[in-house]
Amino acid sequence: GESVGLHLPTLSVQEGDNSIINCAYSNSASDYFIWYKQESGKGPQFIIDIRSNMDKRQGQRVTVLLNKTVKHLSLQIAATQPGDSAVYFCAENPDNTDKLIFGTGTRLQVFP
Amino acid sequence: DGGITQSPKYLFRKEGQNVTLSCEQNLNHDAMYWYRQDPGQGLRLIYYSQIVNDFQKGDIAEGYSVSREKKESFPLTVTSAQKNPTAFYLCASGSQPQHFGDGTRLSIL
């Protein structure tokens, strides 16, 4: 069936290091992917998205990479800060509706 | 400020009661969604609406109902038929990307 999953449930990094959060998806027809950040007790906050006709997209301190060959998505955070500590979710849009399928999330912990 | 407002932030339900969660957006979005989030898990789609007066079931619609009488509002009713309603409920609006409210946490007394 369709699914979005993550390889690492928890990622611990030192402040200032770069973070890489990975995500696997199973539907090769998915044409839109998105990353959200969720802090405790709050709703998910949009970080960055990418369409299937792109391999890479950069934002402020964040980069999303899409590898359609192996159906893999990653979020790179440069110079990770304590404020980046949160749970990160990837999601895919598998059809021509606006429905998203979410992964289970990765917790990012940033240590000083 | 433009955004999505969910209320209340915390809600308690007695056994056998229906409760309604509010979601209002002033972003002029056609599409709105309701998700359920259980501890340590991702979001699962309950219902979605792509336009006023129309809505579709998501993956876990049983025990829930919605209405979409106005573009700005998409209330979710958790009925007594929902046997495990304790969860964090998130409303979203928009399309690529969807934007989220800050959720309502529902607990059973």
Side-chain angles (χ1 to χ4, degrees), chain B residues 31-86:
Chain B
M32 297 187 74
Y33 317 81
W34 274 105
Y35 293 88
R36 170 183 171 134
Q37 186 175 31
D38 292 286
Q41 298 188 30
L43 282 65
R44 292 183 290 166
L45 183 64
I46 304 173
Y47 267 98
Y48 65 104
S49 168
Q50 293 181 298
I51 198 168
V52 175
N53 292 321
D54 188 42
F55 48 83
Q56 289 80 39
K57 293 181 179 180
D59 300 319
I60 54 166
E62 185 175 353
Y64 300 98
S65 65
V66 293
S67 62
R68 187 81 189 280
E69 297 177 1
K70 298 188 300 182
K71 188 175 187 178
E72 301 80 14
S73 180
F74 191 39
L76 173 74
T77 297
V78 184
T79 75
S80 57
Q82 171 50 242
K83 297 307 179 186
N84 186 22
T86 297

Side-chain angles (χ1 to χ4, degrees), chain A:
Chain A
E2 299 170 354
S3 66
V4 176
L6 295 172
H7 299 306
L8 298 174
T10 303
L11 177 65
S12 298
V13 300
Q14 193 160 22
E15 182 178 357
D17 287 351
N18 296 335
S19 302
I20 300 176
I21 301 172
N22 296 303
C23 179
Y25 65 94
S26 60
N27 192 328
S28 57
S30 291
D31 62 357
Y32 175 80
F33 305 86
I34 187 168
W35 282 98
Y36 287 97
K37 171 187 179 183
Q38 186 178 28
E39 297 175 305
S40 181
K42 295 189 174 182
Q45 176 186 358
F46 167 71
I47 302 173
I48 192 167
D49 56 4
I50 188 169
R51 300 192 184 282
S52 59
N53 61 353
M54 301 173 68
D55 297 322
K56 178 179 179 179
R57 190 168 185 216
Q58 288 184 291
Q60 186 177 13
R61 279 200 310 118
V62 295
T63 301
V64 56
L65 298 177
L66 176 62
N67 185 331
K68 295 181 286 294
T69 301
V70 295
K71 290 184 285 188
H72 185 267
L73 189 70
S74 68
L75 176 70
Q76 300 179 0
I77 304 173
T80 312
Q81 302 170 1
D84 294 327
S85 295
V87 177
Y88 290 80
F89 292 96
C90 65
E92 63 176 315
N93 177 214
D95 53 31
N96 60 1
T97 71
D98 293 324
K99 293 164 59 177
L100 291 175
I101 297 176
F102 283 81
T104 54
T106 291
R107 181 173 301 280
L108 176 64
Q109 297 178 326
V110 183
F111 293 95

